[in-house]
Each structure stands twice: as structure tokens, then as C-alpha cells.
Amino acid sequence: MTHITLIRHGQANTEARDEASYDRLSALGHQQAAWLGDHLAETGSHHPRIYCGTLTRHIETATAMGCQEVIQDPRLNEMEYFTMAQAMEQQFNLPIPQEREGFIEHLPKVFQAWAANKIDAPPESWQAFEQRTQQVLSDIAEGDGPALVVTSGGFISMAMRQAMGLDTNGMARVALAIMNTSMHRLFPIGGHLSPVLFNAVPHLDSTERQYAQTHL
């Protein structure tokens, strides 16, 4: 097994409340990704294998980072959160938040309903999302050399759930904490992938860049 560094995409369209509108980087998202790419180059980070999902925001992030020969894998794509949020609004009269603070209560409710199979006809079941997350990370871990993976916050939170045995509420708290272009590393210990890095943004730590430490 080899270690895997997961990266959340750059800031996307923060005004969006549906999947299609959300799936593109903002100007700040492009800048965050470029800074991360510069940081990895300056520190001599070695990743002979680079992966990303097939969503536009994943591909744009990898491109802005300056990544070459990126392997696209749809198993690295995000859950369709806004689609399920719309279903929750129709079924349970739960409004979709219009500001970041509202998601602090909204996201755990969506996760709980989804995991309990209470959302009618979701785009993907909770169990399917669990399985594809586990399978793609296992496949990547079996390859040669460290891997860099550009994906989304929900996928990363599921990876952390599996690595740490988190319950649904714990996974929701992790998902809410994940910043744009943050790095998260899974390292093989005793035959299992264990977290050794979470939510690292060294490329955004300087005083003049702290404004770019975004969650949405």
C-alpha cells in the first residue's frame, strides 16, 4: 500500500443551490489551487500518480495546480448534496440555507436522513457512496508511489469516516470543517489507511492569504 493525499477542490460557485450551477470554480478557487500547486512544487512534493473526479470543479482545480497527466475517475465524484437537499425540502419542508451558518444544522440532517434511507429516490444510496469511496481508495492505494487525489469535501469526510470509524454525526462535523484546497493524508499502517494529516492549508497560512481560507 502507498499513501494518498486527498485535496478538496477550490472554492466553487458559492451562490449556487443546485448541482449544475455549483460545479465551477470561482476566481478565488482558481487562485487557491494555483497557490497550492506552487506550494507543492516549492516543497518538492513527489506524486507520480495524480487523480481527480470527473466534475468540472475537480478538473479545474487540478489544471490550476499545474498537474499533468491526471487520471479522471468518476468514483471520486461528490455526492449530489443539492439534489438531496431539494428532496429534503419537498419531503420534510427543510429549507435549503442561503448562508454558510445555515449549513451547520442542515448538513447533518441531510446525512442522517440519507444514511437511514429516508430520502425518496436519491441519486445514489448512502451504501453505494460508502462502497465506491472504499473501493477507489483501495485501488489507488495498491498502486506504485504516493498518489495525489483531487476530490470533494463529502468524499473526504466519508474517507475519514471509514478510516476513523466515525458515526454519521462525526462525519458531518468533519465535512463542515474541510476547507477549499485543503490537504488530507491517508497512510498505510498495519494494513489499513490511517489519517496522518487533516485540513492542512500551508499555502494559505500567511497573513495576506488567510482571507482565502474558505469553507464554501
Side-chain angles (χ1 to χ4, degrees), residues 11-32:
Q11 184 190 62
N13 177 18
T14 59
E15 301 301 318
R17 293 298 178 269
D18 62 76
E19 301 296 335
S21 300
Y22 183 70
D23 194 25
R24 65 177 185 273
L25 294 190
S26 67
L28 178 58
H30 283 280
Q31 181 63 77
Q32 291 166 330

Side-chain angles (χ1 to χ4, degrees), residues 23 35 41 83 105 123 136 162 171 187 211:
D23 194 25
W35 281 332
T83 301
E105 293 186 2
V136 68
Q162 294 174 350
M171 176 180 162
F187 198 87
Y211 76 94

Side-chain angles (χ1 to χ4, degrees), residues 1-4 6 49 51 73 75-76 129-145 147 149 155 159 162 186 188 191-194:
M1 296 178 75
T2 186
H3 77 254
I4 300 170
L6 302 170
R49 298 179 297 133
Y51 299 81
D73 191 326
R75 293 178 297 173
L76 296 169
F129 185 49
E130 277 190 311
Q131 290 169 3
R132 71 170 165 93
T133 300
Q134 184 176 41
Q135 186 60 61
V136 68
L137 291 178
S138 177
D139 290 348
I140 293 172
E142 292 302 322
D144 295 327
V149 175
F155 181 96
Q162 294 174 350
L186 298 171
H192 301 279
L193 290 173
S194 298

Side-chain angles (χ1 to χ4, degrees), residues 6-140:
L6 302 170
I7 293 173
R8 186 190 176 196
H9 61 79
Q11 184 190 62
N13 177 18
T14 59
E15 301 301 318
R17 293 298 178 269
D18 62 76
E19 301 296 335
S21 300
Y22 183 70
D23 194 25
R24 65 177 185 273
L25 294 190
S26 67
L28 178 58
H30 283 280
Q31 181 63 77
Q32 291 166 330
W35 281 332
L36 176 56
D38 290 343
H39 169 78
L40 293 174
E42 290 166 3
T43 55
S45 297
H46 177 62
H47 297 96
R49 298 179 297 133
I50 302 176
Y51 299 81
C52 76
T54 59
L55 297 175
T56 299
R57 59 190 183 272
H58 297 160
I59 297 167
E60 288 182 341
T61 297
T63 299
M65 288 172 61
C67 297
Q68 305 293 324
E69 299 182 12
V70 180
I71 301 167
Q72 296 181 23
D73 191 326
R75 293 178 297 173
L76 296 169
N77 287 352
E78 180 64 298
M79 66 186 78
E80 291 192 25
Y81 183 84
F82 286 118
T83 301
M84 290 189 290
Q86 290 165 357
M88 291 284 289
E89 188 169 35
Q90 294 170 2
Q91 287 180 241
F92 305 108
N93 198 30
L94 180 68
I96 301 174
Q98 297 303 310
E99 71 293 320
R100 177 183 179 272
E101 288 70 22
F103 284 99
I104 295 173
E105 293 186 2
H106 187 268
L107 187 144
K109 291 178 181 178
V110 173
F111 277 16
Q112 290 164 6
W114 186 27
N117 296 315
K118 292 182 178 179
I119 299 177
D120 292 341
E124 176 181 34
S125 71
W126 174 272
Q127 292 75 19
F129 185 49
E130 277 190 311
Q131 290 169 3
R132 71 170 165 93
T133 300
Q134 184 176 41
Q135 186 60 61
V136 68
L137 291 178
S138 177
D139 290 348
I140 293 172

Side-chain angles (χ1 to χ4, degrees), residues 171-192:
M171 176 180 162
R173 290 195 295 273
V174 165
L176 288 165
I178 295 174
M179 290 186 281
N180 296 113
T181 62
S182 55
M183 295 184 287
H184 314 256
R185 186 162 298 130
L186 298 171
F187 198 87
I189 300 174
H192 301 279

